């Protein structure tokens, strides 16, 4: 699978290709990237910061 992703949000996005979270990358706001996975692979996107980070930060305090 080949895709081009553009982060149009305000927070960075963590990109994990085919479950390889050791060799992951970060897509900054306004940045785009061409990504490729194995055939029938998985490209996972996780927003960093934002509401989810605020909630987990509240739980830690």
């Amino acid at each position: 699978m080949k895709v081009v992703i553009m982060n149009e949000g305000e927070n960075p996005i963590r990109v994990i290709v085919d479950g390889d979270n050791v060799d992951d990358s970060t897509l900054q706001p306004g940045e785009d990237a061409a990504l490729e996975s194995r055939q029938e692979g998985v490209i996972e996107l996780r927003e960093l910061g934002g509401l989810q980070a605020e909630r987990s930060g509240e739980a830690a305090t």
Side-chain angles (χ1 to χ4, degrees), residues 1-52:
M1 165 176 43
K2 294 179 184 181
V3 297
V4 174
I5 303 290
M6 171 129 187
N7 182 357
E8 294 183 347
E10 297 178 7
N11 297 308
I13 296 174
R14 181 178 179 199
V15 179
I16 303 169
V17 178
D18 295 328
D20 183 4
N21 57 4
V22 173
D23 195 25
D24 61 346
S25 60
T26 303
L27 198 59
Q28 297 298 324
E31 189 176 28
D32 62 2
L35 306 170
E36 185 172 356
S37 71
R38 297 184 306 247
Q39 183 146 352
E40 299 183 24
V42 174
I43 297 176
E44 182 178 347
L45 305 173
R46 296 183 183 180
E47 184 176 18
L48 303 174
L51 183 59
Q52 186 65 32

